Amino acid sequence: MSLPPEKASELKQLIHQQLSKMDVHGRIREILAETIREELAPDQHLSTEDLIKALRRRGIIDDVMKELNFVTDSVEQELPSSPKQPICFDRQSTLKKTNIDPTRRYLYLQVLGGKAFLEHLQEPEPLPGQVCSTFTLCLHYRNQRFRSKPVPCACEPDFHDGFLLEVHRESLGDGTRMADSTTMLSISDPIHMVLIKTDIFGETTLVASYFLEWRSVLGSENGVTSLTVELMGVGTESKVSVGILNIKLEMYPPLNQTLSQEVVNTQLALERQKTAEKERLFLVYAKQWWREYLQIRPSHNSRLVKIFAQDENGVNRPVCSYVKPLRAGRLLDTPRQAARFVNVLGYERAPVIGGGGKQEQWCTLLAFLCRNKGDCEDHANLLCSLLLGYGLEAFVCVGTKAKGVPHAWVMTCGTDGTITFWESLTGHRYIHKPTNPDEPPVAEQPKPLYPYRTIGCVFNHQMFLGNCQPSDAVETCVFDLNDESKWKPMSEEAIKSVCAPGATTSLPPFPPLCASTIDASVTSNEIEMQLRLLVSEHRKDLGLTTVWEDQLSYLLSPALASYEFERTTSISAGNEEFQDAIRRAVPDGHTFKGFPIHFVYRNARRAFATCLRSPFCEEIICCRGDQVRLAVRVRVFTYPESACAVWIMFASYM
């Protein structure tokens, strides 16, 4: 693209000013003298190539290119009209580089660094190429999700990212029109920001969860404002500051007419007042419902009837607000595949400082997905939401397992009355057949296969029912939810007043699922190569040589695919072909041994250490003999949110 002469002259002047400001000429002279003095023979001449290499080696060229990357605060009007998916910009991006729809309104959110992350005050500066702990900022706004580049953990983390958020309101029937200031003021959805820390082993920790009220920009001059956001900790540390982010908000196209700050503040105050009143009325109703529930039987006081639960910010919310029909688009095809996806998300109880039992923390969906792990309640809420999205009548059950351990799982009610329990942590399904305690002792009763002992309540996004049967034992429980003598319901209207989408401004919106960013083939190969190296080193320490049988390794693939298929569908297939292939591959007189194992993480060293704890696997890896042949196969199966099931099989014959 050629520039007009006056523009080219202006550009040259800008570049000259920037080079003078950086004293590039002086630095080049220093490097020139140093190169001649240290690297050249007396009779050797310095070429232009040698000088450029010296400048590149010392980072001068990189510094210059970084500084000469012009970033504009305003957006040019000459933009392509084709709409584009939500885009995350880094510090080297400008708005004019992307295709955005000029008929839509956008909010450009820039994160311009952080400070006061005091937990990392003593964190040393990472060396180039050194693996270090990182921060990642995840955002969700009106069905759009974004993720920042990871930055090294530090007292002042170097966040410099921009996110382009489309602001529209299709529910009003004007989704194709550009939203004006008044329309945007009525859009109460906050921007949900989640800060994740990833350590050097790939383990994730939820650092902060913050809801940004962005509409102050509507009352700012030129539609541009800067904010300082204080992030608070999570769980038991929800009252403790973890750090500060500097944020800049800018509307594009610029607003023709900005609102007065007084109008914006009045609207926000009215929304808060309306929300507080709805929540107060629901609390009054919940207290009355609880009194009536206890009047049925005083022993109900000991049942796990969970009406409210604390989120990661320590805010008490009705449990029905944690569930909502969630459609997975084309990322998941069946309810059982959805159950498998939830199962491979990591399980981790909420951290607690000191003793005193379990810390309660039900995470918002974005925090759970970004961290890629959570407690049993988080798994159950997500699975219930997905099953509701598939059109099933699904509920979250709250009760206990063996030894009275509190637990949450999912239940679906079939049109024929079949009750199915779904264990969200394992993906297992159980058909519930209640035993009749009034039957004579000689009558044969079905023995339950599920691990659940008692049940206190069930709920979804529209209903909440407390178990008021004489016994709360699951095996004798009758799940006729329309029978009010067995299940005491809450008013659906009361639940709707605080849990329906848009009912209150304090309700976190549900994010969509994101496709996996993991390349299954590449990741499988990487883990397999690392495991081969670890096995060879381990055997070398024992004084053993290692001979790998590549063909045998390849033949293990069908078995791993079959194991994952069985986990997803509960159907076993392909075992006959696998066994036949192995019989043909193993020479006569040799014995084949195989050890399959499953993980939900991709750390090869950690997986190998776990495998060695199995005597059977250790026997394969450490086997001795003149004609020992070893094989290992890794197969990674990817799911949304970059969750994955990792199957590993070690084998040998001798």
Side-chain angles (χ1 to χ4, degrees):
M1 183 180 74
S2 60
L3 287 173
E6 64 274 10
K7 287 285 182 185
S9 174
E10 184 184 340
L11 185 60
K12 285 178 184 175
Q13 184 65 28
L14 284 170
I15 292 173
H16 179 72
Q17 288 173 3
Q18 192 65 37
L19 293 177
S20 300
K21 180 182 169 185
M22 295 173 63
D23 190 26
V24 170
H25 299 98
R27 292 165 72 184
I28 289 175
R29 278 194 294 271
E30 287 174 15
I31 290 170
L32 182 59
E34 186 182 323
T35 306
I36 291 172
R37 187 173 62 250
E38 294 180 2
E39 298 182 14
L40 291 185
D43 57 343
Q44 189 179 350
H45 293 287
L46 182 69
S47 67
T48 307
E49 259 185 34
D50 294 331
L51 179 58
I52 289 174
K53 280 182 186 173
L55 293 175
R56 195 180 295 279
R57 198 163 56 241
R58 287 162 176 77
I60 301 295
I61 291 178
D62 289 340
D63 291 346
V64 171
M65 294 308 293
K66 202 177 290 182
E67 289 296 329
L68 291 181
N69 183 41
F70 299 107
V71 179
T72 59
D73 285 342
S74 61
V75 185
E76 297 293 335
Q77 295 297 325
E78 298 176 336
L79 292 167
S81 60
S82 58
K84 198 167 183 179
Q85 290 298 314
I87 300 158
C88 168
F89 298 93
D90 62 28
R91 72 179 78 181
Q92 297 182 0
S93 298
T94 64
L95 282 177
K96 65 167 79 175
K97 285 182 185 175
T98 184
N99 298 332
I100 60 177
D101 186 348
T103 65
R104 288 295 183 104
R105 184 77 70 183
Y106 294 90
L107 175 67
Y108 185 43
L109 184 153
Q110 296 178 72
V111 185
L112 304 174
K115 58 186 178 181
F117 285 78
L118 300 180
E119 189 176 328
H120 301 278
L121 190 60
Q122 305 298 327
E123 204 87 20
E125 189 80 17
L127 299 171
Q130 179 186 356
V131 178
C132 63
S133 299
T134 59
F135 283 138
T136 306
L137 193 62
C138 305
L139 276 72
H140 168 235
Y141 177 70
R142 294 179 71 77
N143 238 31
Q144 305 163 73
R145 284 181 61 184
F146 309 84
R147 180 183 289 265
S148 73
K149 283 185 175 179
V151 300
C153 293
C155 183
E156 296 186 355
D158 190 25
F159 286 112
H160 278 86
D161 281 299
F163 308 95
L164 194 64
L165 287 64
E166 188 176 327
V167 184
H168 58 92
R169 184 149 192 173
E170 294 178 355
S171 59
L172 296 181
D174 56 2
T176 57
R177 280 187 13 224
M178 183 181 292
D180 57 19
S181 300
T182 309
T183 303
M184 288 190 288
L185 186 60
S186 68
I187 300 176
S188 59
D189 297 44
I191 300 170
H192 192 181
M193 307 170 67
V194 168
L195 184 63
I196 300 293
K197 177 183 175 181
T198 307
D199 67 16
I200 58 175
F201 304 108
E203 291 296 312
T204 54
T205 309
L206 178 62
V207 178
S209 175
Y210 184 84
F211 293 93
L212 176 67
E213 178 50 73
W214 59 273
R215 287 175 288 174
S216 60
V217 73
L218 301 176
S220 304
E221 190 177 353
N222 301 323
V224 181
T225 188
S226 295
L227 306 170
T228 301
V229 170
E230 183 179 20
L231 301 178
M232 310 301 283
V234 295
T236 53
E237 300 176 29
S238 59
K239 306 299 181 192
V240 181
S241 174
V242 295
I244 292 169
L245 292 179
N246 297 318
I247 289 176
K248 182 180 177 183
L249 299 175
E250 178 182 356
M251 297 304 305
Y252 170 76
L255 297 172
N256 296 326
Q257 182 181 3
T258 58
L259 304 171
S260 73
Q261 201 62 55
E262 187 181 354
V263 169
V264 175
N265 292 339
T266 302
Q267 172 71 15
L268 300 183
L270 284 171
E271 287 178 3
R272 283 193 294 269
Q273 184 181 343
K274 188 178 175 183
T275 294
E277 180 61 15
K278 285 184 175 182
E279 290 174 345
R280 185 189 68 80
L281 290 173
F282 182 77
L283 180 60
V284 170
Y285 170 76
K287 286 181 176 179
Q288 176 62 30
W289 183 93
W290 178 245
R291 281 194 293 270
E292 293 171 1
Y293 183 69
L294 292 182
Q295 286 171 2
I296 299 172
R297 262 180 221 91
S299 61
H300 286 178
N301 193 39
S302 62
R303 294 189 179 182
L304 277 178
V305 179
K306 193 86 179 155
I307 302 173
F308 295 92
Q310 280 191 359
D311 66 12
E312 66 265 24
N313 291 324
V315 177
N316 269 313
R317 293 170 40 208
V319 291
C320 296
S321 69
Y322 289 89
V323 173
K324 175 190 167 186
L326 181 63
R327 291 167 59 175
R330 300 188 186 279
L331 300 178
L332 298 167
D333 295 320
T334 66
R336 296 195 188 190
Q337 196 177 15
R340 178 58 174 158
F341 157 59
V342 176
N343 156 222
V344 298
L345 290 170
Y347 168 63
E348 181 181 83
R349 294 178 61 170
V352 59
I353 300 173
K358 180 182 177 182
Q359 167 69 28
E360 169 163 299
Q361 180 179 304
W362 290 31
C363 280
T364 56
L365 182 56
L366 184 67
F368 176 39
L369 294 176
C370 293
R371 191 169 56 134
N372 243 230
K373 59 186 175 184
D375 213 332
C376 61
E377 294 88 357
D378 303 323
H379 286 79
N381 290 335
L382 175 56
L383 178 56
C384 182
S385 298
L386 288 166
L387 296 182
L388 287 167
Y390 281 110
L392 301 180
E393 188 180 10
F395 297 86
V396 175
C397 304
V398 179
T400 62
K401 292 196 298 184
K403 300 181 181 177
V405 176
H407 191 62
W409 65 97
V410 178
M411 171 184 79
T412 53
C413 306
T415 52
D416 60 354
T418 302
I419 300 298
T420 307
F421 293 148
W422 303 64
E423 177 47 63
S424 58
L425 296 181
T426 62
H428 293 159
R429 297 165 64 257
Y430 308 95
I431 303 298
H432 171 66
K433 294 178 180 175
T435 59
N436 187 351
D438 299 326
E439 287 282 336
V442 293
E444 187 178 348
Q445 299 279 11
K447 188 176 180 181
L449 300 173
Y450 44 77
Y452 319 120
R453 294 293 177 265
T454 66
I455 183 166
C457 64
V458 300
F459 67 87
N460 61 19
H461 62 303
Q462 294 175 327
M463 299 170 68
F464 182 95
L465 303 110
N467 182 5
C468 54
Q469 297 171 61
S471 169
D472 62 351
V474 178
E475 61 183 7
T476 62
C477 195
V478 175
F479 287 93
D480 180 1
L481 302 182
N482 296 316
D483 187 344
E484 293 193 13
S485 69
K486 293 181 172 61
W487 294 93
K488 178 172 173 56
M490 265 193 175
S491 161
E492 290 189 27
E493 284 301 313
I495 293 171
K496 192 176 178 181
S497 70
V498 289
C499 297
T504 65
T505 55
S506 63
L507 203 62
F510 266 47
L513 296 182
C514 284
S516 177
T517 58
I518 297 171
D519 187 316
S521 299
V522 171
T523 308
S524 299
N525 284 336
E526 287 175 353
I527 298 174
E528 190 171 309
M529 289 302 105
Q530 292 171 28
L531 286 175
R532 282 197 175 202
L533 191 62
L534 289 167
V535 170
S536 298
E537 287 177 351
H538 184 74
R539 288 176 60 84
K540 187 177 179 182
D541 292 341
L542 298 174
L544 302 171
T545 57
T546 306
V547 180
W548 294 102
E549 181 63 61
D550 290 339
Q551 175 63 11
L552 182 61
S553 296
Y554 179 72
L555 295 182
L556 302 178
S557 293
L560 300 183
S562 176
Y563 298 149
E564 182 62 20
F565 183 75
E566 187 174 355
R567 286 288 181 101
T568 306
T569 63
S570 303
I571 299 169
S572 178
N575 196 37
E576 300 82 0
E577 294 90 340
F578 167 67
Q579 290 184 3
D580 187 61
I582 293 298
R583 288 193 188 98
R584 291 175 179 277
V586 176
D588 291 340
H590 289 66
T591 304
F592 171 82
K593 291 180 180 178
F595 176 79
I597 192 167
H598 167 255
F599 298 100
V600 294
Y601 52 80
R602 305 189 301 278
N603 187 321
R605 192 170 291 275
R606 180 179 164 194
F608 183 63
T610 304
C611 291
L612 284 179
R613 286 199 286 271
S614 163
F616 191 75
C617 183
E618 188 188 25
E619 183 184 336
I620 292 173
I621 291 171
C622 304
C623 62
R624 300 166 182 267
D626 295 335
Q627 296 183 339
V628 172
R629 296 292 183 271
L630 292 175
V632 62
R633 192 65 170 173
V634 176
R635 181 72 167 85
V636 174
F637 297 88
T638 58
Y639 289 91
E641 300 297 327
S642 296
C644 60
V646 180
W647 283 96
I648 300 172
M649 190 170 194
F650 292 100
S652 69
Y653 66 77
M654 57 182 290

